[in-house]
Amino acid sequence: MKNNVEIEESWKEALSAEFDKPYFLKLVEFVKAEKKQQVIYPPGPRIFSAFAHTPLLKVKVVILGQDPYHGEGQAHGLCFSVPDGIPFPPSLNNIFKELKDDLGIDKPRSGNLEGWADQGVLLLNTTLTVCQAAPASHAGKGWETFTDEVIRIISLRKEGVVFILWGNHAKKKQALINTSKHVVLSAAHPSPLSAYAGFFGCKHFSKTNEILKRIGLEPINW
């Protein structure tokens, strides 16, 4: 089973024990069965894209999302990100609006956040697959157990990581983080339903870079 999981080597080593646990084997069978009946996002090779772009040793920042996008062509394995040429979903639009207000960076032409991921920003959804047009359809099937372990491993093995928690779902994950050696920034979710309740004005992009510079790391080129 371990060798069948397409995941970057440093993560594969760190997470190898998870791949043979009953919950993960059950999760794999569930996803396989779902694929036979309906369209699943993201495409199989991209389920673990966040890990491919941001190896464990390079993690400096973690942004936690909840569910992959469930519209055609949107999800590609990085939370909040969409591939080149795909219109910006509302939450991503608001992320770019806050980035402009915070650091004066104009909205990019593409919503593809691979550039952030390649600099050490782990863009992690807590659930890594979803059915087309059915948000949260794969919640509670085992992915959360897996991604909770990812957060624990980062907390245990790394120091000085900035965890960015937007919305109540992400904020619940703070219990997995050792806040004596890491920094947690939390705010409302960037969704249009909540962005005006504390996401706008959070200045998490500039705050993250200030923290990274303070501990001698390269800031993120957002």
Side-chain angles (χ1 to χ4, degrees), residues 175-186:
L176 305 170
I177 302 163
N178 182 345
T179 53
S180 68
K181 56 188 279 203
H182 302 288
V183 178
V184 173
L185 301 177
S186 60

Side-chain angles (χ1 to χ4, degrees), residues 6-101:
E6 296 180 21
I7 193 167
E8 187 273 333
E9 282 304 315
S10 66
W11 281 115
K12 199 169 188 177
E13 178 273 321
L15 293 162
S16 60
E18 298 302 297
F19 300 136
D20 286 330
K21 288 183 178 177
Y23 87 86
F24 196 86
L25 298 173
K26 189 176 178 182
L27 170 63
V28 169
E29 292 309 310
F30 166 75
V31 174
K32 284 180 180 176
E34 288 281 276
K35 282 184 176 179
K36 290 177 182 176
Q37 300 177 48
Q38 46 210 326
V39 177
I40 303 300
Y41 298 132
R46 292 190 164 184
I47 290 172
F48 295 103
S49 284
F51 303 93
H53 283 278
T54 316
L56 179 56
L57 290 175
K58 293 187 176 181
V59 174
K60 298 194 287 190
V61 180
V62 177
I63 297 179
L64 278 183
Q66 187 167 350
D67 223 17
Y69 293 125
H70 52 85
E72 185 177 357
Q74 293 179 313
H76 66 143
L78 307 177
C79 74
F80 296 109
S81 178
V82 291
D84 296 333
I86 299 296
F88 300 171
S91 290
L92 184 57
N93 250 328
N94 285 339
I95 288 169
F96 288 139
K97 183 175 180 181
E98 173 61 21
L99 184 57
K100 170 69 172 175
D101 291 344

Side-chain angles (χ1 to χ4, degrees), residues 51-201:
F51 303 93
H53 283 278
T54 316
L56 179 56
L57 290 175
K58 293 187 176 181
V59 174
K60 298 194 287 190
V61 180
V62 177
I63 297 179
L64 278 183
Q66 187 167 350
D67 223 17
Y69 293 125
H70 52 85
E72 185 177 357
Q74 293 179 313
H76 66 143
L78 307 177
C79 74
F80 296 109
S81 178
V82 291
D84 296 333
I86 299 296
F88 300 171
S91 290
L92 184 57
N93 250 328
N94 285 339
I95 288 169
F96 288 139
K97 183 175 180 181
E98 173 61 21
L99 184 57
K100 170 69 172 175
D101 291 344
D102 184 8
L103 289 172
I105 296 171
D106 289 330
K107 183 189 289 189
R109 292 179 181 175
S110 172
N112 190 334
L113 303 181
E114 288 176 354
W116 295 6
D118 292 338
Q119 296 175 75
V121 182
L122 183 67
L123 296 167
L124 181 67
N125 279 314
T126 55
T127 300
L128 299 188
T129 55
V130 70
C131 291
Q132 183 180 44
S137 48
H138 287 186
K141 303 297 183 181
W143 279 126
E144 296 90 343
T145 304
F146 178 76
T147 53
D148 279 2
E149 186 61 21
V150 171
I151 297 166
R152 283 194 201 94
I153 285 170
I154 295 169
S155 180
L156 181 67
R157 297 197 183 189
K158 305 279 293 183
E159 288 192 17
V161 173
V162 182
F163 287 84
I164 296 176
L165 310 181
W166 292 330
N168 292 332
H169 178 83
K171 289 175 187 177
K172 289 175 184 173
K173 303 300 181 181
Q174 182 163 336
L176 305 170
I177 302 163
N178 182 345
T179 53
S180 68
K181 56 188 279 203
H182 302 288
V183 178
V184 173
L185 301 177
S186 60
H189 195 276
S191 159
L193 298 174
S194 55
Y196 286 95
F199 174 75
F200 289 137

